[in-house]
Amino acid sequence: MTHETWGQVRGELLKSVGENNFSAWIDPIVFDRLDARTARFHVPTNFFSSWVSQNYGDVILRHLISAGVGVDRVEFAVDNGLPRRAGNSNVAPAQPVETPVARPAATLRTGTDELPGATLNPLYTFDNFIVGKPNELAHAAARRVAEGRDVTFNPLFLYGGVGLGKTHLMHAIAWDLRARFPGARILYLSAEQFMYRFVRALREQDTMTFKQIFRSVDVLMVDDVQFIAGKTSTQEEFFHTFNALVEEGKQIIISGDRAPVDMEELDARIASRLQCGLVVDLHPTDYELRLGVLQHKAEQAMARNPQIRMAEGVLEFMALRISTNIRVVEGALIRLFAFADLVRREITVDLVQDCLADILKSTDRRVTLDQIIKTCCEYYKIRQNDITGTSRARAVARPRQMAMYLSKSLTSRSYPEIARKLGGRDHTTVLYGVRKIEELMAIDSQIAEDAEILRRMLEA
Ligand code: ADP
Ligand code: MG
């Protein structure tokens, strides 16, 4: 392994652990050398060493393996402070710290080393995949295929909008299959990479090798197939590869941004072949799934960064307000944590509003208080006079609180303004109403669902 390889692995690590963790824990690590299948690194302190080895050893190891480095262990030793020239591995001996990281699975090295596949993200595993209504079918199908028993769904076609977990699920399948069948030739790549390799093979007049490689795999996974739609010769080659593999009973897994029938430029023969297997879609996220992902990621981030504190209701607020894809949700959380760490403040809804103003704004459709009132009345089947009145009867008080909550989270109106519209005595009534709904959302899925449906109605 060279320093250059480490440079590339660092790039991958940045993507998978996020900027905040990267700058805190990965950036300070200096690659020393590789010997006896052990990658040795220098770190600044003993504490750092044990922390990194416990929290990131595994991820670093997996990334190294993914990059093709022949390595079984990683070791972090304290640099004893002697001057070191950049890029020079001939440093004074470091104090070894006993922090061996167990090799995650001997099976990570597979017969696929020489295959031209893409790197698998070590964090895209089934363990890290949150299952909810919108993705449960896709998840179940992926799990089934990952068992690798008999090829019943061939191909498995996963489709859905951007950032909904297609790539994550594909990597998870690949990791699982690799662990179960160490010798299997599993090839994962994007349709774009497939095309580039094919074009290169054509240019180099070496399509034989290309064909041999692609037809010798046990499992072929092609991500974002929409990319080759309309690219005639690549599609043709893909079609032949596809048929050859299907005939041999090899598993094929493909993802796309739309259903095969909706890809206009896709060769009709390919579309109908894709249609023959199992076609499942990942639906747009709902409130619960977003909250689940946020909780999972926040838990991990807080375990790594225990001094960070978070007020109640923050994740619920984010799940409600950030209604786009999971990548955006995840990015928002990473930024939030970095910001909180920087300013050393508890994460509150106010902080979220400060720090994520741009993201929140882009999902803000400028909903008005009148629209909220009207929509809530329709939804709960109550009269406008009731919701804007002062009656405390539960049947109108709860919808009113919901309207307060939606007003606070979907508009930038102040508490007194909302109070005036919604029969509140003063801002404390609204404050209380908003809190009440936030509390209820966490324990009562009906209320959470009401909030989600109402938000969608208002943002539609
Ligand atoms: P797609 O390929 O559909 O565009 P990705 O698989 O790249 O989407 O997912 C985008 C990001 O969201 C990734 O970081 C992924 O880990 C995360 N993600 C998507 N779905 C889930 C899920 N159900 N649970 C946890 N993380 C998810
Ligand atoms: Mg993808």
Side-chain angles (χ1 to χ4, degrees):
M1 165 164 131
T2 61
H3 284 272
E4 202 182 311
T5 317
W6 173 237
Q8 286 159 9
V9 169
R10 278 165 49 95
E12 294 298 316
L13 281 163
L14 171 61
K15 284 187 236 157
S16 58
V17 305
E19 271 173 44
N20 190 22
N21 294 315
F22 183 86
S23 60
W25 301 109
I26 308 291
D27 201 30
I29 300 176
V30 178
F31 172 62
D32 176 15
R33 62 188 195 279
L34 177 72
D35 65 6
R37 302 184 66 85
T38 301
R40 298 180 193 282
F41 297 90
H42 287 305
V43 291
T45 63
N46 269 323
F47 170 75
F48 197 104
S49 158
S50 56
W51 180 267
V52 166
S53 117
Q54 263 173 39
N55 294 280
Y56 297 100
D58 223 47
V59 171
I60 293 173
L61 182 61
R62 278 165 173 261
H63 270 301
L64 290 170
I65 294 170
S66 283
V69 179
V71 59
D72 298 330
R73 284 158 58 88
V74 287
E75 249 176 46
F76 305 95
V78 175
D79 189 353
N80 59 9
L82 290 176
R84 181 185 54 233
R85 272 162 292 154
N88 182 0
S89 60
N90 191 14
V91 293
Q95 299 298 315
V97 177
E98 247 333 286
T99 52
V101 171
R103 200 177 165 192
T107 50
L108 277 177
R109 289 189 61 75
T110 69
T112 59
D113 292 271
E114 77 284 8
L115 288 177
T119 321
L120 294 180
N121 186 326
L123 295 177
Y124 289 0
T125 58
F126 282 120
D127 285 346
N128 279 333
F129 191 84
I130 307 299
V131 184
K133 274 203 208 93
N135 61 22
E136 73 183 329
L137 212 60
H139 172 259
R143 280 275 193 192
R144 172 64 72 80
V145 166
E147 285 171 8
R149 270 198 264 281
D150 37 4
V151 182
T152 36
F153 308 138
N154 212 14
L156 170 63
F157 187 88
L158 300 168
Y159 76 91
V162 64
L164 299 182
K166 300 181 293 295
T167 298
H168 188 137
L169 276 181
M170 289 185 103
H171 287 212
I173 295 172
W175 282 120
D176 249 37
L177 284 170
R178 279 192 183 190
R180 281 207 184 95
F181 308 99
R185 292 167 63 80
I186 299 157
L187 178 54
Y188 165 87
L189 81 178
S190 67
E192 192 175 7
Q193 287 169 311
F194 180 89
M195 183 180 87
Y196 288 138
R197 289 193 198 277
F198 179 61
V199 169
R200 196 171 66 201
L202 284 176
R203 198 177 51 228
E204 293 169 359
Q205 301 188 329
D206 192 16
T207 49
M208 274 314 286
T209 317
F210 178 89
K211 285 182 202 297
Q212 268 161 16
I213 290 174
F214 278 90
R215 291 174 197 187
S216 69
V217 303
D218 298 310
V219 180
L220 175 65
M221 312 176 82
V222 179
D223 207 351
D224 290 321
V225 76
Q226 72 275 3
F227 192 84
I228 58 165
K231 315 273 196 316
T232 318
S233 57
T234 306
Q235 283 199 74
E236 190 69 22
E237 183 56 33
F238 179 70
F239 182 64
H240 293 312
T241 307
F242 189 101
N243 285 339
L245 291 171
V246 170
E247 259 151 46
E248 286 187 48
K250 304 294 174 60
Q251 179 74 55
I252 297 179
I253 303 148
I254 294 178
S255 82
D257 66 349
R258 274 157 291 165
V261 287
D262 294 330
M263 289 190 199
E264 284 125 30
E265 304 266 271
L266 192 69
D267 187 320
R269 293 169 306 166
I270 299 181
S272 79
R273 271 251 128 159
L274 292 176
Q275 212 65 54
C276 287
L278 179 66
V279 178
V280 280
D281 60 337
L282 290 126
H283 298 276
T285 61
D286 61 10
Y287 171 81
E288 269 176 40
L289 179 60
R290 289 193 298 275
L291 185 60
V293 170
L294 282 164
Q295 281 166 342
H296 179 75
K297 308 264 169 196
E299 220 167 79
Q300 289 181 337
M302 290 179 43
R304 284 193 292 262
N305 218 340
Q307 74 274 20
I308 289 190
R309 322 203 62 75
M310 187 185 284
E312 296 213 348
V314 166
L315 297 179
E316 285 78 2
F317 175 78
M318 288 176 73
L320 188 75
R321 283 298 303 274
I322 304 175
S323 57
T324 37
N325 69 45
I326 298 191
R327 189 173 297 126
V328 173
V329 170
E330 227 175 52
L333 196 67
I334 289 170
R335 195 202 300 174
L336 187 62
F337 271 93
F339 190 65
D341 193 36
L342 204 67
V343 298
R344 306 224 167 268
R345 262 166 59 195
E346 183 188 35
I347 300 175
T348 59
V349 170
D350 279 348
L351 188 84
V352 173
Q353 276 168 330
D354 272 0
C355 168
L356 303 178
D358 55 333
I359 296 175
L360 297 176
K361 210 172 189 176
S362 74
T363 36
D364 190 1
R365 298 281 167 79
R366 274 174 247 304
V367 180
T368 64
L369 294 186
D370 288 331
Q371 274 172 307
I372 291 174
I373 291 169
K374 186 164 164 282
T375 309
C376 284
C377 288
E378 279 164 15
Y379 185 76
Y380 289 107
K381 301 192 177 53
I382 56 174
R383 287 178 311 158
Q384 208 137 321
N385 284 349
D386 289 334
I387 206 167
T388 55
T390 52
S391 161
R392 294 197 177 198
R394 180 86 165 264
V396 298
R398 193 71 83 223
R400 187 184 301 127
Q401 287 171 338
M402 180 62 84
M404 290 171 175
Y405 172 77
L406 291 166
S407 303
K408 199 57 211 165
S409 49
L410 299 179
T411 75
S412 46
R413 302 288 123 207
S414 66
Y415 286 114
E417 280 174 294
I418 298 170
R420 274 197 294 278
K421 277 275 185 188
L422 284 162
R425 252 166 298 123
D426 54 23
H427 73 280
T428 54
T429 324
V430 181
L431 204 65
Y432 172 81
V434 172
R435 289 239 177 91
K436 188 75 204 167
I437 296 293
E438 276 169 1
E439 275 167 32
L440 288 172
M441 272 168 57
I443 50 170
D444 184 339
S445 62
Q446 182 60 52
I447 302 266
E449 205 179 306
D450 290 347
E452 169 73 9
I453 295 171
L454 282 162
R455 187 188 57 72
R456 284 208 192 167
M457 289 167 73
L458 286 160
E459 285 185 343

